[in-house]
């Protein structure tokens, strides 16, 4: 369950990073120079999301931070799906970075609690393999989809991956609560 969250989170992160500016140019009509400037805000959102996650770590539980981040991503994906002005797409990309940023570090932090100290090293290895699978495969899969369709599938692809992430987060939370490992 946790591995699927890692795949999905990394898929969102790397597809946005690798294809976000192409989406802006080809689907939104932004100039390449402007798209490059807009995508910087995606990375600012990612950095800010991770920073805020650290600030909030003393006040909120890791699962709560993950859920709040996913709520921000949900709003952003909906904004991308709607036929709104280009500036909204830039804001949505920032929000995706902001919301998705805390997911990876908080899941890593939860590993010993979720799986026990005895096997947390092995569990971490499996999770990192899942993360790198998402990093390696998903931008390539999205590229294949672009070859068949166009970059217009960007928001739909992100929405599908996001739904997978939310479903597996819900399953993982249920698993944690059932085993008294939910913080």
């Amino acid at each position: 369950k946790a591995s699927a969250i890692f795949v999905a989170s990394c898929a969102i992160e790397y597809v946005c990073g690798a294809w976000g500016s192409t989406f802006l140019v080809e689907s939104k009509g932004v100039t390449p120079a402007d798209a490059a400037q807009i995508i910087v805000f995606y990375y600012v959102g990612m950095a800010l999301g991770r920073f805020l996650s650290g600030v909030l770590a003393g006040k909120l539980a890791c699962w709560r931070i993950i859920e709040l981040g996913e709520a921000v991503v949900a709003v952003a994906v909906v904004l991308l799906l709607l036929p709104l002005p280009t500036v909204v797409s830039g804001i949505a990309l920032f929000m995706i970075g902001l919301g998705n940023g805390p997911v990876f570090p908080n899941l890593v932090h939860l590993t010993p609690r979720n799986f026990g100290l005895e096997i947390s090293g092995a569990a971490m290895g499996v999770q990192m393999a899942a993360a790198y699978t998402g990093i390696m495969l998903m931008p390539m899969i999205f590229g294949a989809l672009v070859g068949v369709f166009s970059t217009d599938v960007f928001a739909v692809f992100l929405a599908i991956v996001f739904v997978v992430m939310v479903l597996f987060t819900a399953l993982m939370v249920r698993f944690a609560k059932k085993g008294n490992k939910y913080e």
Side-chain angles (χ1 to χ4, degrees):
K1 297 169 193 118
S3 293
I5 303 168
F6 276 100
V7 170
S9 176
C10 289
I12 290 169
E13 181 175 342
Y14 282 83
V15 167
C16 283
W19 287 95
S21 58
T22 305
F23 161 72
L24 291 169
V25 171
E26 293 185 8
S27 295
K28 294 293 185 174
V30 175
T31 67
D34 288 344
Q37 289 178 339
I38 292 169
I39 209 67
V40 166
F41 289 105
Y42 162 72
Y43 288 108
V44 168
M46 181 72 65
L48 184 60
R50 290 196 171 142
F51 173 77
L52 290 174
S53 172
V55 170
L56 294 173
K59 296 172 179 67
L60 296 174
C62 290
W63 282 116
R64 185 69 182 137
I65 294 170
I66 291 169
E67 290 164 351
L68 288 171
E70 288 180 351
V72 172
V73 175
V75 171
V77 169
V78 168
L79 290 174
L80 280 177
L81 287 166
L82 297 173
L84 297 170
T86 303
V87 68
V88 177
S89 297
I91 293 167
L93 285 167
F94 169 80
M95 290 173 64
I96 288 172
L98 181 70
N100 196 43
V103 174
F104 189 97
N106 279 284
L107 276 178
V108 169
H109 178 75
L110 285 167
T111 301
R113 184 173 187 97
N114 288 335
F115 300 101
L117 287 173
E118 310 79 38
I119 65 164
S120 64
M124 186 71 68
V126 170
Q127 291 175 154
M128 291 304 104
Y132 287 120
T133 299
I135 291 167
M136 179 182 69
L137 290 180
M138 294 309 229
M140 184 177 65
I141 290 169
F142 180 74
L145 290 171
V146 168
V148 174
F149 302 103
S150 72
T151 55
D152 291 346
V153 299
F154 183 75
V156 173
F157 182 85
L158 292 178
I160 292 167
V161 173
F162 174 72
V163 167
V164 169
M165 183 169 71
V166 169
L167 285 172
F168 280 95
T169 298
L171 289 172
M172 195 65 200
V173 165
R174 197 163 119 203
F175 167 79
K177 284 180 177 178
K178 191 174 183 181
N180 284 334
K181 298 175 182 182
Y182 185 79
E183 62 169 275

mmCIF file of all heavy atoms in Angstrom, residues 69-118:
data_model
loop_
_atom_site.group_PDB
_atom_site.id
_atom_site.type_symbol
_atom_site.label_atom_id
_atom_site.label_comp_id
_atom_site.label_asym_id
_atom_site.label_seq_id
_atom_site.Cartn_x
_atom_site.Cartn_y
_atom_site.Cartn_z
ATOM 1 N N GLY A 69 -1.926 17.859 2.384
ATOM 2 C CA GLY A 69 -1.237 18.006 1.101
ATOM 3 C C GLY A 69 -2.057 17.446 -0.038
ATOM 4 O O GLY A 69 -2.185 18.071 -1.100
ATOM 5 N N GLU A 70 -2.649 16.285 0.175
ATOM 6 C CA GLU A 70 -3.478 15.685 -0.866
ATOM 7 C C GLU A 70 -4.707 16.531 -1.155
ATOM 8 O O GLU A 70 -5.156 16.596 -2.299
ATOM 9 C CB GLU A 70 -3.864 14.254 -0.476
ATOM 10 C CG GLU A 70 -2.695 13.293 -0.572
ATOM 11 C CD GLU A 70 -3.032 11.866 -0.190
ATOM 12 O OE1 GLU A 70 -4.144 11.607 0.318
ATOM 13 O OE2 GLU A 70 -2.168 10.996 -0.411
ATOM 14 N N ALA A 71 -5.239 17.197 -0.153
ATOM 15 C CA ALA A 71 -6.388 18.090 -0.377
ATOM 16 C C ALA A 71 -5.986 19.260 -1.282
ATOM 17 O O ALA A 71 -6.751 19.655 -2.174
ATOM 18 C CB ALA A 71 -6.937 18.607 0.954
ATOM 19 N N VAL A 72 -4.799 19.791 -1.077
ATOM 20 C CA VAL A 72 -4.307 20.881 -1.933
ATOM 21 C C VAL A 72 -4.126 20.384 -3.367
ATOM 22 O O VAL A 72 -4.515 21.054 -4.322
ATOM 23 C CB VAL A 72 -2.989 21.475 -1.375
ATOM 24 C CG1 VAL A 72 -2.365 22.468 -2.343
ATOM 25 C CG2 VAL A 72 -3.234 22.142 -0.020
ATOM 26 N N VAL A 73 -3.567 19.191 -3.515
ATOM 27 C CA VAL A 73 -3.391 18.613 -4.857
ATOM 28 C C VAL A 73 -4.747 18.388 -5.516
ATOM 29 O O VAL A 73 -4.902 18.626 -6.720
ATOM 30 C CB VAL A 73 -2.571 17.303 -4.806
ATOM 31 C CG1 VAL A 73 -2.502 16.653 -6.184
ATOM 32 C CG2 VAL A 73 -1.159 17.578 -4.290
ATOM 33 N N ALA A 74 -5.735 17.960 -4.758
ATOM 34 C CA ALA A 74 -7.080 17.730 -5.313
ATOM 35 C C ALA A 74 -7.630 19.008 -5.932
ATOM 36 O O ALA A 74 -8.129 18.996 -7.067
ATOM 37 C CB ALA A 74 -8.028 17.219 -4.230
ATOM 38 N N VAL A 75 -7.531 20.103 -5.216
ATOM 39 C CA VAL A 75 -8.008 21.389 -5.738
ATOM 40 C C VAL A 75 -7.230 21.752 -7.005
ATOM 41 O O VAL A 75 -7.807 22.180 -8.008
ATOM 42 C CB VAL A 75 -7.885 22.507 -4.680
ATOM 43 C CG1 VAL A 75 -8.172 23.877 -5.274
ATOM 44 C CG2 VAL A 75 -8.809 22.224 -3.504
ATOM 45 N N ALA A 76 -5.927 21.556 -6.970
ATOM 46 C CA ALA A 76 -5.086 21.907 -8.120
ATOM 47 C C ALA A 76 -5.432 21.086 -9.354
ATOM 48 O O ALA A 76 -5.497 21.619 -10.470
ATOM 49 C CB ALA A 76 -3.613 21.723 -7.755
ATOM 50 N N VAL A 77 -5.653 19.795 -9.172
ATOM 51 C CA VAL A 77 -5.987 18.929 -10.309
ATOM 52 C C VAL A 77 -7.333 19.351 -10.909
ATOM 53 O O VAL A 77 -7.486 19.400 -12.137
ATOM 54 C CB VAL A 77 -5.967 17.438 -9.894
ATOM 55 C CG1 VAL A 77 -6.573 16.559 -10.970
ATOM 56 C CG2 VAL A 77 -4.536 17.001 -9.598
ATOM 57 N N VAL A 78 -8.282 19.672 -10.060
ATOM 58 C CA VAL A 78 -9.580 20.148 -10.567
ATOM 59 C C VAL A 78 -9.381 21.434 -11.371
ATOM 60 O O VAL A 78 -9.957 21.595 -12.457
ATOM 61 C CB VAL A 78 -10.592 20.356 -9.410
ATOM 62 C CG1 VAL A 78 -11.821 21.113 -9.886
ATOM 63 C CG2 VAL A 78 -10.984 19.016 -8.816
ATOM 64 N N LEU A 79 -8.563 22.335 -10.875
ATOM 65 C CA LEU A 79 -8.287 23.580 -11.612
ATOM 66 C C LEU A 79 -7.674 23.297 -12.983
ATOM 67 O O LEU A 79 -8.014 23.952 -13.969
ATOM 68 C CB LEU A 79 -7.355 24.502 -10.811
ATOM 69 C CG LEU A 79 -7.947 25.140 -9.559
ATOM 70 C CD1 LEU A 79 -6.875 25.910 -8.797
ATOM 71 C CD2 LEU A 79 -9.125 26.043 -9.903
ATOM 72 N N LEU A 80 -6.777 22.302 -13.043
ATOM 73 C CA LEU A 80 -6.167 21.940 -14.332
ATOM 74 C C LEU A 80 -7.169 21.298 -15.278
ATOM 75 O O LEU A 80 -7.067 21.450 -16.497
ATOM 76 C CB LEU A 80 -4.992 20.988 -14.136
ATOM 77 C CG LEU A 80 -3.663 21.584 -13.708
ATOM 78 C CD1 LEU A 80 -2.627 20.483 -13.503
ATOM 79 C CD2 LEU A 80 -3.158 22.604 -14.712
ATOM 80 N N LEU A 81 -8.118 20.576 -14.738
ATOM 81 C CA LEU A 81 -9.119 19.901 -15.571
ATOM 82 C C LEU A 81 -10.122 20.871 -16.186
ATOM 83 O O LEU A 81 -10.688 20.590 -17.242
ATOM 84 C CB LEU A 81 -9.873 18.846 -14.759
ATOM 85 C CG LEU A 81 -9.094 17.576 -14.420
ATOM 86 C CD1 LEU A 81 -9.815 16.771 -13.346
ATOM 87 C CD2 LEU A 81 -8.858 16.732 -15.662
ATOM 88 N N LEU A 82 -10.331 21.993 -15.536
ATOM 89 C CA LEU A 82 -11.307 22.972 -16.019
ATOM 90 C C LEU A 82 -10.700 23.868 -17.101
ATOM 91 O O LEU A 82 -9.507 24.168 -17.060
ATOM 92 C CB LEU A 82 -11.806 23.834 -14.852
ATOM 93 C CG LEU A 82 -12.559 23.080 -13.761
ATOM 94 C CD1 LEU A 82 -12.843 24.007 -12.583
ATOM 95 C CD2 LEU A 82 -13.841 22.478 -14.294
ATOM 96 N N PRO A 83 -11.511 24.310 -18.048
ATOM 97 C CA PRO A 83 -11.000 25.200 -19.117
ATOM 98 C C PRO A 83 -10.871 26.642 -18.602
ATOM 99 O O PRO A 83 -11.673 27.514 -18.926
ATOM 100 C CB PRO A 83 -12.066 25.073 -20.209
ATOM 101 C CG PRO A 83 -13.321 24.762 -19.453
ATOM 102 C CD PRO A 83 -12.909 23.945 -18.264
ATOM 103 N N LEU A 84 -9.864 26.858 -17.802
ATOM 104 C CA LEU A 84 -9.640 28.163 -17.180
ATOM 105 C C LEU A 84 -8.442 28.857 -17.831
ATOM 106 O O LEU A 84 -7.648 28.216 -18.525
ATOM 107 C CB LEU A 84 -9.424 27.979 -15.677
ATOM 108 C CG LEU A 84 -10.620 27.384 -14.919
ATOM 109 C CD1 LEU A 84 -10.224 27.013 -13.496
ATOM 110 C CD2 LEU A 84 -11.795 28.347 -14.928
ATOM 111 N N PRO A 85 -8.276 30.146 -17.590
ATOM 112 C CA PRO A 85 -7.137 30.872 -18.176
ATOM 113 C C PRO A 85 -5.794 30.254 -17.777
ATOM 114 O O PRO A 85 -5.678 29.587 -16.743
ATOM 115 C CB PRO A 85 -7.276 32.285 -17.592
ATOM 116 C CG PRO A 85 -8.699 32.405 -17.179
ATOM 117 C CD PRO A 85 -9.150 31.020 -16.809
ATOM 118 N N THR A 86 -4.801 30.523 -18.574
ATOM 119 C CA THR A 86 -3.472 29.954 -18.388
ATOM 120 C C THR A 86 -2.882 30.283 -17.024
ATOM 121 O O THR A 86 -2.212 29.452 -16.423
ATOM 122 C CB THR A 86 -2.530 30.448 -19.506
ATOM 123 O OG1 THR A 86 -3.119 30.087 -20.753
ATOM 124 C CG2 THR A 86 -1.165 29.830 -19.404
ATOM 125 N N VAL A 87 -3.145 31.463 -16.539
ATOM 126 C CA VAL A 87 -2.603 31.841 -15.233
ATOM 127 C C VAL A 87 -3.082 30.874 -14.148
ATOM 128 O O VAL A 87 -2.339 30.557 -13.214
ATOM 129 C CB VAL A 87 -2.937 33.312 -14.874
ATOM 130 C CG1 VAL A 87 -4.426 33.500 -14.621
ATOM 131 C CG2 VAL A 87 -2.121 33.792 -13.690
ATOM 132 N N VAL A 88 -4.278 30.343 -14.285
ATOM 133 C CA VAL A 88 -4.796 29.377 -13.320
ATOM 134 C C VAL A 88 -4.006 28.066 -13.408
ATOM 135 O O VAL A 88 -3.754 27.418 -12.384
ATOM 136 C CB VAL A 88 -6.312 29.132 -13.532
ATOM 137 C CG1 VAL A 88 -6.845 28.066 -12.589
ATOM 138 C CG2 VAL A 88 -7.081 30.437 -13.352
ATOM 139 N N SER A 89 -3.577 27.698 -14.600
ATOM 140 C CA SER A 89 -2.742 26.499 -14.747
ATOM 141 C C SER A 89 -1.420 26.667 -14.010
ATOM 142 O O SER A 89 -0.927 25.724 -13.382
ATOM 143 C CB SER A 89 -2.475 26.206 -16.223
ATOM 144 O OG SER A 89 -3.676 25.915 -16.884
ATOM 145 N N GLY A 90 -0.858 27.853 -14.084
ATOM 146 C CA GLY A 90 0.379 28.131 -13.345
ATOM 147 C C GLY A 90 0.165 28.043 -11.848
ATOM 148 O O GLY A 90 0.985 27.457 -11.116
ATOM 149 N N ILE A 91 -0.934 28.590 -11.373
ATOM 150 C CA ILE A 91 -1.278 28.508 -9.950
ATOM 151 C C ILE A 91 -1.505 27.056 -9.551
ATOM 152 O O ILE A 91 -1.059 26.611 -8.481
ATOM 153 C CB ILE A 91 -2.515 29.382 -9.645
ATOM 154 C CG1 ILE A 91 -2.170 30.864 -9.828
ATOM 155 C CG2 ILE A 91 -3.058 29.109 -8.245
ATOM 156 C CD1 ILE A 91 -3.371 31.799 -9.858
ATOM 157 N N ALA A 92 -2.181 26.307 -10.408
ATOM 158 C CA ALA A 92 -2.445 24.896 -10.125
ATOM 159 C C ALA A 92 -1.137 24.100 -10.032
ATOM 160 O O ALA A 92 -0.992 23.252 -9.147
ATOM 161 C CB ALA A 92 -3.355 24.297 -11.195
ATOM 162 N N LEU A 93 -0.199 24.375 -10.902
ATOM 163 C CA LEU A 93 1.089 23.675 -10.831
ATOM 164 C C LEU A 93 1.817 24.008 -9.530
ATOM 165 O O LEU A 93 2.402 23.131 -8.891
ATOM 166 C CB LEU A 93 1.952 24.009 -12.045
ATOM 167 C CG LEU A 93 1.515 23.326 -13.335
ATOM 168 C CD1 LEU A 93 2.202 23.938 -14.544
ATOM 169 C CD2 LEU A 93 1.789 21.824 -13.260
ATOM 170 N N PHE A 94 1.781 25.271 -9.122
ATOM 171 C CA PHE A 94 2.354 25.660 -7.831
ATOM 172 C C PHE A 94 1.689 24.865 -6.704
ATOM 173 O O PHE A 94 2.362 24.321 -5.820
ATOM 174 C CB PHE A 94 2.172 27.174 -7.601
ATOM 175 C CG PHE A 94 2.485 27.598 -6.193
ATOM 176 C CD1 PHE A 94 3.802 27.782 -5.789
ATOM 177 C CD2 PHE A 94 1.465 27.795 -5.278
ATOM 178 C CE1 PHE A 94 4.091 28.158 -4.481
ATOM 179 C CE2 PHE A 94 1.745 28.170 -3.966
ATOM 180 C CZ PHE A 94 3.062 28.358 -3.566
ATOM 181 N N MET A 95 0.361 24.783 -6.755
ATOM 182 C CA MET A 95 -0.386 24.077 -5.712
ATOM 183 C C MET A 95 -0.081 22.575 -5.711
ATOM 184 O O MET A 95 -0.040 21.953 -4.638
ATOM 185 C CB MET A 95 -1.889 24.309 -5.893
ATOM 186 C CG MET A 95 -2.320 25.720 -5.571
ATOM 187 S SD MET A 95 -4.064 26.008 -5.983
ATOM 188 C CE MET A 95 -4.881 24.878 -4.841
ATOM 189 N N ILE A 96 0.137 21.995 -6.878
ATOM 190 C CA ILE A 96 0.503 20.574 -6.931
ATOM 191 C C ILE A 96 1.836 20.370 -6.224
ATOM 192 O O ILE A 96 1.995 19.445 -5.428
ATOM 193 C CB ILE A 96 0.539 20.053 -8.383
ATOM 194 C CG1 ILE A 96 -0.885 19.948 -8.926
ATOM 195 C CG2 ILE A 96 1.251 18.694 -8.460
ATOM 196 C CD1 ILE A 96 -0.964 19.635 -10.408
ATOM 197 N N GLY A 97 2.797 21.246 -6.508
ATOM 198 C CA GLY A 97 4.071 21.152 -5.809
ATOM 199 C C GLY A 97 3.907 21.320 -4.307
ATOM 200 O O GLY A 97 4.451 20.547 -3.507
ATOM 201 N N LEU A 98 3.135 22.328 -3.913
ATOM 202 C CA LEU A 98 2.899 22.622 -2.500
ATOM 203 C C LEU A 98 2.253 21.439 -1.777
ATOM 204 O O LEU A 98 2.672 21.056 -0.684
ATOM 205 C CB LEU A 98 2.009 23.858 -2.379
ATOM 206 C CG LEU A 98 1.673 24.351 -0.977
ATOM 207 C CD1 LEU A 98 2.908 24.943 -0.311
ATOM 208 C CD2 LEU A 98 0.557 25.393 -1.040
ATOM 209 N N GLY A 99 1.253 20.845 -2.388
ATOM 210 C CA GLY A 99 0.539 19.746 -1.759
ATOM 211 C C GLY A 99 1.254 18.416 -1.816
ATOM 212 O O GLY A 99 1.208 17.621 -0.865
ATOM 213 N N ASN A 100 1.929 18.154 -2.913
ATOM 214 C CA ASN A 100 2.608 16.870 -3.073
ATOM 215 C C ASN A 100 3.950 16.850 -2.344
ATOM 216 O O ASN A 100 4.443 15.787 -1.976
ATOM 217 C CB ASN A 100 2.798 16.556 -4.564
ATOM 218 C CG ASN A 100 3.136 15.110 -4.814
ATOM 219 O OD1 ASN A 100 2.553 14.213 -4.218
ATOM 220 N ND2 ASN A 100 4.078 14.877 -5.703
ATOM 221 N N GLY A 101 4.531 18.012 -2.125
ATOM 222 C CA GLY A 101 5.840 18.098 -1.469
ATOM 223 C C GLY A 101 5.945 17.345 -0.153
ATOM 224 O O GLY A 101 6.937 16.650 0.091
ATOM 225 N N PRO A 102 4.961 17.453 0.734
ATOM 226 C CA PRO A 102 5.068 16.785 2.036
ATOM 227 C C PRO A 102 4.847 15.276 2.020
ATOM 228 O O PRO A 102 5.166 14.600 2.995
ATOM 229 C CB PRO A 102 3.957 17.437 2.874
ATOM 230 C CG PRO A 102 3.529 18.643 2.136
ATOM 231 C CD PRO A 102 3.858 18.405 0.707
ATOM 232 N N VAL A 103 4.306 14.730 0.957
ATOM 233 C CA VAL A 103 3.919 13.316 0.960
ATOM 234 C C VAL A 103 5.136 12.412 1.141
ATOM 235 O O VAL A 103 5.175 11.577 2.060
ATOM 236 C CB VAL A 103 3.135 12.953 -0.322
ATOM 237 C CG1 VAL A 103 2.850 11.456 -0.385
ATOM 238 C CG2 VAL A 103 1.835 13.754 -0.390
ATOM 239 N N PHE A 104 6.128 12.547 0.302
ATOM 240 C CA PHE A 104 7.300 11.662 0.328
ATOM 241 C C PHE A 104 8.011 11.689 1.688
ATOM 242 O O PHE A 104 8.203 10.635 2.304
ATOM 243 C CB PHE A 104 8.258 12.036 -0.808
ATOM 244 C CG PHE A 104 9.393 11.083 -1.014
ATOM 245 C CD1 PHE A 104 9.321 10.097 -1.972
ATOM 246 C CD2 PHE A 104 10.547 11.161 -0.238
ATOM 247 C CE1 PHE A 104 10.372 9.219 -2.173
ATOM 248 C CE2 PHE A 104 11.604 10.290 -0.426
ATOM 249 C CZ PHE A 104 11.513 9.308 -1.396
ATOM 250 N N PRO A 105 8.424 12.863 2.185
ATOM 251 C CA PRO A 105 9.162 12.840 3.456
ATOM 252 C C PRO A 105 8.343 12.332 4.638
ATOM 253 O O PRO A 105 8.885 11.673 5.530
ATOM 254 C CB PRO A 105 9.596 14.296 3.666
ATOM 255 C CG PRO A 105 8.781 15.112 2.746
ATOM 256 C CD PRO A 105 8.348 14.216 1.630
ATOM 257 N N ASN A 106 7.050 12.601 4.649
ATOM 258 C CA ASN A 106 6.228 12.116 5.760
ATOM 259 C C ASN A 106 6.030 10.608 5.693
ATOM 260 O O ASN A 106 6.016 9.941 6.731
ATOM 261 C CB ASN A 106 4.899 12.861 5.801
ATOM 262 C CG ASN A 106 5.048 14.205 6.472
ATOM 263 O OD1 ASN A 106 5.149 14.295 7.681
ATOM 264 N ND2 ASN A 106 5.112 15.268 5.680
ATOM 265 N N LEU A 107 5.895 10.062 4.489
ATOM 266 C CA LEU A 107 5.797 8.602 4.371
ATOM 267 C C LEU A 107 7.086 7.924 4.807
ATOM 268 O O LEU A 107 7.057 6.884 5.472
ATOM 269 C CB LEU A 107 5.476 8.204 2.930
ATOM 270 C CG LEU A 107 4.016 8.224 2.539
ATOM 271 C CD1 LEU A 107 3.875 7.860 1.063
ATOM 272 C CD2 LEU A 107 3.186 7.284 3.376
ATOM 273 N N VAL A 108 8.210 8.523 4.449
ATOM 274 C CA VAL A 108 9.501 7.969 4.870
ATOM 275 C C VAL A 108 9.583 7.981 6.397
ATOM 276 O O VAL A 108 9.980 6.993 7.019
ATOM 277 C CB VAL A 108 10.668 8.761 4.243
ATOM 278 C CG1 VAL A 108 11.995 8.382 4.881
ATOM 279 C CG2 VAL A 108 10.722 8.527 2.736
ATOM 280 N N HIS A 109 9.193 9.081 6.987
ATOM 281 C CA HIS A 109 9.230 9.210 8.449
ATOM 282 C C HIS A 109 8.339 8.169 9.138
ATOM 283 O O HIS A 109 8.663 7.690 10.230
ATOM 284 C CB HIS A 109 8.805 10.625 8.860
ATOM 285 C CG HIS A 109 8.773 10.834 10.331
ATOM 286 N ND1 HIS A 109 9.918 10.980 11.080
ATOM 287 C CD2 HIS A 109 7.730 10.906 11.202
ATOM 288 C CE1 HIS A 109 9.593 11.138 12.345
ATOM 289 N NE2 HIS A 109 8.265 11.102 12.450
ATOM 290 N N LEU A 110 7.229 7.824 8.514
ATOM 291 C CA LEU A 110 6.280 6.878 9.106
ATOM 292 C C LEU A 110 6.703 5.417 8.967
ATOM 293 O O LEU A 110 6.095 4.538 9.591
ATOM 294 C CB LEU A 110 4.903 7.056 8.465
ATOM 295 C CG LEU A 110 4.115 8.280 8.912
ATOM 296 C CD1 LEU A 110 2.922 8.516 7.984
ATOM 297 C CD2 LEU A 110 3.657 8.126 10.346
ATOM 298 N N THR A 111 7.716 5.120 8.178
ATOM 299 C CA THR A 111 8.084 3.729 7.894
ATOM 300 C C THR A 111 8.320 2.890 9.150
ATOM 301 O O THR A 111 7.722 1.814 9.281
ATOM 302 C CB THR A 111 9.288 3.662 6.940
ATOM 303 O OG1 THR A 111 8.946 4.336 5.731
ATOM 304 C CG2 THR A 111 9.678 2.228 6.627
ATOM 305 N N PRO A 112 9.155 3.317 10.101
ATOM 306 C CA PRO A 112 9.341 2.467 11.295
ATOM 307 C C PRO A 112 8.047 2.262 12.086
ATOM 308 O O PRO A 112 7.817 1.183 12.616
ATOM 309 C CB PRO A 112 10.368 3.243 12.138
ATOM 310 C CG PRO A 112 11.054 4.156 11.183
ATOM 311 C CD PRO A 112 10.030 4.495 10.125
ATOM 312 N N ARG A 113 7.226 3.269 12.129
ATOM 313 C CA ARG A 113 5.947 3.157 12.865
ATOM 314 C C ARG A 113 4.990 2.208 12.133
ATOM 315 O O ARG A 113 4.318 1.393 12.756
ATOM 316 C CB ARG A 113 5.322 4.526 13.024
ATOM 317 C CG ARG A 113 4.068 4.494 13.855
ATOM 318 C CD ARG A 113 3.564 5.906 14.135
ATOM 319 N NE ARG A 113 2.463 5.859 15.050
ATOM 320 C CZ ARG A 113 2.545 6.042 16.348
ATOM 321 N NH1 ARG A 113 3.704 6.297 16.896
ATOM 322 N NH2 ARG A 113 1.476 5.979 17.109
ATOM 323 N N ASN A 114 4.935 2.339 10.810
ATOM 324 C CA ASN A 114 4.002 1.518 10.029
ATOM 325 C C ASN A 114 4.403 0.047 9.969
ATOM 326 O O ASN A 114 3.536 -0.824 9.934
ATOM 327 C CB ASN A 114 3.870 2.058 8.607
ATOM 328 C CG ASN A 114 3.092 3.354 8.549
ATOM 329 O OD1 ASN A 114 2.280 3.642 9.416
ATOM 330 N ND2 ASN A 114 3.355 4.140 7.524
ATOM 331 N N PHE A 115 5.711 -0.213 9.919
ATOM 332 C CA PHE A 115 6.160 -1.587 9.668
ATOM 333 C C PHE A 115 6.973 -2.193 10.807
ATOM 334 O O PHE A 115 7.336 -3.358 10.749
ATOM 335 C CB PHE A 115 6.967 -1.644 8.364
ATOM 336 C CG PHE A 115 6.170 -1.196 7.173
ATOM 337 C CD1 PHE A 115 6.336 0.074 6.644
ATOM 338 C CD2 PHE A 115 5.219 -2.028 6.608
ATOM 339 C CE1 PHE A 115 5.578 0.503 5.557
ATOM 340 C CE2 PHE A 115 4.459 -1.620 5.525
ATOM 341 C CZ PHE A 115 4.638 -0.349 5.004
ATOM 342 N N GLY A 116 7.268 -1.405 11.830
ATOM 343 C CA GLY A 116 8.065 -1.888 12.953
ATOM 344 C C GLY A 116 9.545 -1.664 12.708
ATOM 345 O O GLY A 116 10.021 -1.702 11.572
ATOM 346 N N LEU A 117 10.262 -1.418 13.799
ATOM 347 C CA LEU A 117 11.704 -1.152 13.702
ATOM 348 C C LEU A 117 12.476 -2.326 13.114
ATOM 349 O O LEU A 117 13.454 -2.131 12.401
ATOM 350 C CB LEU A 117 12.269 -0.791 15.075
ATOM 351 C CG LEU A 117 11.911 0.588 15.615
ATOM 352 C CD1 LEU A 117 12.391 0.746 17.048
ATOM 353 C CD2 LEU A 117 12.516 1.663 14.722
ATOM 354 N N GLU A 118 12.009 -3.541 13.409
ATOM 355 C CA GLU A 118 12.744 -4.742 12.984
ATOM 356 C C GLU A 118 12.867 -4.843 11.465
ATOM 357 O O GLU A 118 13.901 -5.264 10.948
ATOM 358 C CB GLU A 118 12.065 -6.022 13.501
ATOM 359 C CG GLU A 118 11.729 -6.048 14.964
ATOM 360 C CD GLU A 118 10.455 -5.272 15.301
ATOM 361 O OE1 GLU A 118 9.474 -5.291 14.530
ATOM 362 O OE2 GLU A 118 10.455 -4.621 16.355
#
